[in-house]
Amino acid sequence: MSEQIEPDAASHADQQRQRASRLAQAVRSELQKAVIGQDAVIDDVLTALIAGGHVLLEGVPGLGKTLLVRALARCFGGEFARIQFTPDLMPSDVTGHAVYDLQTEQFKLRKGPLFTNLLLADEINRAPAKTQAALLEAMQERQVTLEGRALPIAQPFMVLATQNPIEQEGTYPLPEAELDRFMLKVRMDYPDDDQELDMVRQVTRSTRADMLDVQPLRTVLQAKDVLALQRIASDLPLDNQVLDYAVRLARTTRNWPGLTLGAGPRASIALVRCARARALLRGGAFVIPDDIKGCALAVLRHRVRLAPELDIEGLEVDHVLRQLLDQVPAPRL
C-alpha cells in the first residue's frame, strides 16, 4: 500500500515546488518592470525573502534602493512600513511605547512601525547605535519586548535596510552584531548603457518627476504565499557534499590571507538557506554548488574584515572573497 502512496506524494511535492517557482518568477518579472538594470539585486532580495532573512542594501543615491523596496511592497499583499532613520530617532520611535490613557487611567501599549511584514529602514546608518539596536531583537527572535512584555511580530517579517557607502558625515557604522543579523549585504551598482537608456526613456514618459511609478505593478504575493515559499524552499534536497562546500567556504574565511576577521556559523547557515531559495527561484529540483557560489559574496562580504594593509591599498573585500571562491574546490555532482 505504501508503495502506491509514495509516488503520489512525490509528484504532489514536485507540483507544489513548480507552482512555487512560477510564483517567485512572477514576482521577479513584476519587479523588473519598476527597477531597470538591477536584475542581480532583485534576485538577491527575492532570495532573502524566500530564505526568511533580512537585507542590507548599499549603493550611492539615485540607483533605486528605496524604489526596489517600494516595488516589492506593491507586489506583496502584506503590511509595509517605512522608517526614515535620522540622528534624533529614538528606539521607542521604532518599537513603540506605553501611553497613558486618561479615560481608563491605565497605560496602553502603542506598537511602533516595527510591527509589520515588510520594513524599510531607510538610511539605517544615520541613527546612533542605540536606535539601530532597537531592531536586533525583532530581526533575530521575531518579537519585541515592550514594558516587560514580549510581543510577537506577524510572519513573514523582513527588514530591508538601505545605506549610502560614500557618505561619512553624520553617519554611524553598524556594529558587527547587527551586521551579522542581515542575511545578505547587497551592493547596488550603476546600470549598464542600454539599461540606463531604457530607464531614462521610461521615466521621462512618466508624469512622476524623476522615478518610475510602482502603482501599475500587480499584487502577486500574499503573506501566506511567502510562508509557503519559505517552507517549500527549506524542504529542497541538499546533497551532503554541497552542505560541506557551504561550511568549508565559511570556515576558510577564518584563516584566509588578507582577512583579519572570518565569518561565523551564521554565515554557513545563511549560505545553505540562500542556496535553497536560489534553487527554487531558478526552478531547480535540488540545490547545486552554483547556488551556493551565487549567493556567497552577498552572504560573506559584511561578515569578514579586510586586513588594514589591503584596505590602505584600496583593495575591496569582494576581490579577496572572489579569490577565495576560485580556490576552494566545489563538489562535482
Side-chain angles (χ1 to χ4, degrees), residues 102-122:
L102 289 169
Q103 288 182 321
T104 60
E105 296 185 350
Q106 287 180 327
F107 280 97
K108 279 187 176 176
L109 290 179
R110 181 177 289 168
K111 290 180 177 180
L114 200 53
F115 290 88
T116 187
N117 295 123
L118 203 61
L119 177 71
L120 169 57
D122 216 358

Side-chain angles (χ1 to χ4, degrees), residues 135-299:
L135 291 171
L136 284 178
E137 184 186 11
M139 288 170 74
Q140 187 60 31
E141 296 164 43
R142 306 297 200 265
Q143 66 172 35
V144 176
T145 304
L146 277 182
E147 303 296 316
R149 280 174 57 193
L151 305 174
I153 294 173
Q155 296 303 309
F157 173 65
M158 183 184 190
V159 175
L160 290 121
T162 69
Q163 68 175 15
N164 178 349
I166 55 169
E167 209 162 30
Q168 302 303 323
E169 198 75 28
T171 61
Y172 304 82
L174 270 67
E176 265 76 15
E178 181 154 10
L179 279 172
D180 203 32
R181 297 296 201 283
F182 286 101
M183 185 175 269
L184 301 178
K185 181 181 179 182
V186 179
R187 290 214 168 121
M188 230 172 181
D189 218 333
Y190 296 105
D192 64 27
D193 292 2
D194 293 343
Q195 290 166 331
E196 195 160 347
L197 271 169
D198 192 23
M199 184 197 301
V200 173
R201 190 179 294 115
Q202 284 200 39
V203 172
T204 48
R205 277 195 202 129
S206 157
T207 53
R208 305 291 289 272
D210 64 346
M211 59 185 285
L212 287 163
D213 195 0
V214 299
Q215 291 305 316
L217 300 187
R218 290 183 304 127
T219 301
V220 183
L221 278 179
Q222 297 299 328
K224 62 177 175 48
D225 298 324
V226 176
L227 294 174
L229 285 175
Q230 291 175 352
R231 191 190 70 250
I232 291 164
S234 66
D235 286 339
L236 278 185
L238 179 86
D239 191 271
N240 275 337
Q241 287 177 286
V242 180
L243 180 69
D244 177 65
Y245 177 54
V247 175
R248 273 190 294 120
L249 281 178
R251 290 183 68 84
T252 306
T253 62
R254 296 170 204 170
N255 49 26
W256 191 259
L259 296 177
T260 56
L261 178 73
R266 200 179 266 143
S268 309
I269 295 164
L271 278 170
V272 172
R273 292 183 75 88
C274 287
R276 280 194 159 116
R278 273 186 117 78
L280 186 72
L281 192 55
R282 67 174 170 80
F286 53 88
V287 181
I288 60 173
D290 278 356
D291 294 323
I292 301 272
K293 219 168 186 175
C295 58
L297 282 180
V299 167

